[in-house]
Amino acid sequence: MSVELGEQLRELRLLRTYYTQAQVAELLSIDRSSYTRYEMGTTEPPISTILKLSEIYGISCDELINPDYYGNTMEKEFMMMETMTKSERQVMELLWSSDRPLSCSEIVELSEDKTWKDSYVHSLIKSLTKKGIVEIASFELVSRSYARKFAPKISYHEYVLLSGFTQNELTDVKKMSAFIRTIMEHTDTEKMRASIREIIS
């Protein structure tokens, strides 16, 4: 089990966050060599560390300790692409609420209740860009160099929809019709229902 868990930890670290082993170790408040042994499968992390790791990667403990939780490899890759860690979600909420693209330094400055260290902002942006959620919107001259400015590639509503459905479900007319019908049933006002009918007609 330790070897499988170690492979899972390495995969999550590389695909979800782009953190180094040292960065994950720092988040766990342990030394790097201890964390390296977890990934190598020579040592199994205690339950308290598993709980912290599940928070870092934004998944449940079941997903963390069970490599087959997602099913086949294609499904797993899709889930990785369409999910965000808690730290990534904080960055995205800031970008979604901003009326303009933001540089990494602006993201750090404007993130009041962040759970990540300032130096991790580049890793977070890189991960979000790889997932197709963030894009470089512009460049701005700062001092003598250019700073990249980032903006959401998809809206909050698109993200909710994409992360809530598999690729097959998104192309299944029957399932999407049922989804829209459920929204209609739980909508409080007739004005809102009329707006939804207008959109889908």
Side-chain angles (χ1 to χ4, degrees), residues 52-117:
K52 285 182 185 176
L53 284 164
S54 68
E55 288 177 15
I56 291 169
Y57 297 124
I59 60 176
S60 70
C61 290
D62 286 336
E63 292 170 283
L64 181 64
I65 63 177
N66 183 0
D68 298 319
Y69 186 91
Y70 288 116
N72 63 45
T73 305
M74 284 185 66
E75 280 181 23
K76 191 168 187 177
E77 286 177 0
F78 182 76
M79 288 295 291
M80 291 287 198
M81 291 276 292
E82 304 305 339
T83 56
M84 288 187 281
T85 64
K86 183 179 177 181
S87 299
E88 289 171 347
R89 180 65 182 250
Q90 289 174 336
V91 171
M92 285 310 302
E93 284 173 356
L94 177 61
L95 290 173
W96 279 322
S97 65
S98 177
D99 58 356
R100 61 186 176 82
L102 300 173
S103 66
C104 284
S105 58
E106 288 173 322
I107 291 169
V108 169
E109 184 182 326
L110 296 171
S111 298
E112 295 176 0
D113 299 320
K114 63 182 183 294
T115 57
W116 40 275
K117 295 185 180 290

Side-chain angles (χ1 to χ4, degrees), residues 2-196:
S2 292
V3 174
E4 289 181 348
L5 178 57
E7 290 173 355
Q8 176 81 332
L9 289 175
R10 177 177 170 77
E11 188 174 87
L12 285 167
R13 178 172 62 80
L14 295 175
L15 290 176
R16 283 201 170 215
T17 65
Y18 295 92
Y19 287 160
T20 63
Q21 288 185 342
Q23 287 172 323
V24 176
E26 187 178 347
L27 290 170
L28 294 172
S29 301
I30 61 175
D31 57 81
R32 181 187 170 178
S33 60
S34 296
Y35 178 76
T36 301
R37 286 194 291 273
Y38 296 156
E39 283 197 5
M40 291 174 61
T42 56
T43 305
E44 207 163 285
I47 189 68
S48 58
T49 301
I50 289 174
L51 287 169
K52 285 182 185 176
L53 284 164
S54 68
E55 288 177 15
I56 291 169
Y57 297 124
I59 60 176
S60 70
C61 290
D62 286 336
E63 292 170 283
L64 181 64
I65 63 177
N66 183 0
D68 298 319
Y69 186 91
Y70 288 116
N72 63 45
T73 305
M74 284 185 66
E75 280 181 23
K76 191 168 187 177
E77 286 177 0
F78 182 76
M79 288 295 291
M80 291 287 198
M81 291 276 292
E82 304 305 339
T83 56
M84 288 187 281
T85 64
K86 183 179 177 181
S87 299
E88 289 171 347
R89 180 65 182 250
Q90 289 174 336
V91 171
M92 285 310 302
E93 284 173 356
L94 177 61
L95 290 173
W96 279 322
S97 65
S98 177
D99 58 356
R100 61 186 176 82
L102 300 173
S103 66
C104 284
S105 58
E106 288 173 322
I107 291 169
V108 169
E109 184 182 326
L110 296 171
S111 298
E112 295 176 0
D113 299 320
K114 63 182 183 294
T115 57
W116 40 275
K117 295 185 180 290
D118 294 356
S119 58
Y120 294 165
V121 68
H122 298 287
S123 295
L124 292 170
I125 288 294
K126 183 177 180 182
S127 176
L128 288 166
T129 303
K130 182 79 172 176
K131 291 176 181 179
I133 304 171
V134 162
E135 64 184 349
I136 299 170
S138 61
F139 292 87
E140 183 179 275
L141 185 61
V142 179
S143 188
R144 290 184 222 166
S145 59
Y146 283 91
R148 293 176 297 171
K149 294 223 166 187
F150 301 92
K153 194 170 182 179
I154 61 173
S155 70
Y156 169 75
H157 303 96
E158 288 173 314
Y159 172 74
V160 170
L161 186 65
L162 290 171
S163 62
F165 292 91
T166 65
Q167 287 175 312
N168 289 336
E169 286 172 327
L170 285 169
T171 56
D172 188 317
V173 175
K174 189 174 179 181
K175 287 182 179 177
M176 291 311 295
S177 297
F179 172 68
I180 293 167
R181 190 166 46 253
T182 302
I183 292 175
M184 293 282 284
E185 288 169 0
H186 289 82
T187 301
D188 291 337
T189 65
E190 182 53 42
K191 183 179 178 182
M192 184 66 78
R193 289 191 195 97
S195 296
I196 294 171

